[in-house]
Amino acid sequence: MDMALDEARTAAAAGEVPIGCVIVHDGEAIARAGNRTLADRDPTAHAEMLAIRAASTALGSERLVDCDLYVTLEPCAMCAAAMSFARIRRLYYGATDPKGGAVDSGVRFFASPTCHHRPDVYGGIGEAEASALLRDFFRARR
């Protein structure tokens, strides 16, 4: 999670919402990314989406069955769906997102009967630091 928090800080320094993601395979970080929606002019350039794309390229497969994903904020529905399609093994996230989250908040994507794959989910990992990054980022913009 420390690497994901580093990615979130880098995103914040670039003016992006401070969310970072790292994907680990066999104990090694194979992909990492921070949000780039503004820089890429792409509403799908969430940290998770970028990291999933990079991990798929690194492994040469659209299936990331032996991979664990660490992200600083509870994933939205788009990112949760991408994790399901990629067959992510475990999801570790930091801060809960009551407004936009879709794992333990909102639509609870993985609990849907139509969800084909559900990763093991562990929330609250590095929550205090992830929450502080987001709170400070948005406080500075108000």
Side-chain angles (χ1 to χ4, degrees):
M1 186 59 80
D2 289 336
M3 286 188 275
L5 288 163
D6 287 343
E7 290 296 323
R9 286 185 207 93
T10 300
E16 301 277 359
V17 175
I19 300 169
C21 181
V22 174
I23 297 180
V24 174
H25 179 259
D26 289 338
E28 179 184 342
I30 60 166
R32 52 192 300 168
N35 268 12
R36 286 200 323 249
T37 58
L38 299 174
D40 292 0
R41 302 273 189 247
D42 179 356
T44 69
H46 290 195
E48 301 97 306
M49 300 295 287
L50 298 170
I52 287 170
R53 290 175 190 144
S56 294
T57 298
L59 295 179
S61 176
E62 74 282 5
R63 300 281 191 237
L64 305 176
V65 294
D66 294 323
C67 293
D68 300 331
L69 188 147
Y70 294 79
V71 65
T72 57
L73 183 66
E74 178 184 359
C76 69
M78 173 183 68
C79 294
M83 287 175 218
S84 179
F85 294 142
R87 307 298 195 260
I88 292 290
R89 177 176 56 187
R90 292 183 199 106
L91 162 64
Y92 299 90
Y93 73 85
T96 300
D97 185 359
K99 290 184 180 178
V103 174
D104 291 320
S105 306
V107 300
R108 297 178 187 214
F109 185 85
F110 299 131
S112 170
T114 59
C115 180
H116 297 291
H117 171 78
R118 295 164 182 82
D120 295 332
V121 176
Y122 304 91
I125 312 300
E127 181 174 18
E129 191 168 355
S131 293
L133 278 171
L134 288 159
R135 190 173 41 255
D136 294 347
F137 177 83
F138 287 111
R139 184 179 298 135
R141 276 155 179 66
R142 289 187 190 121

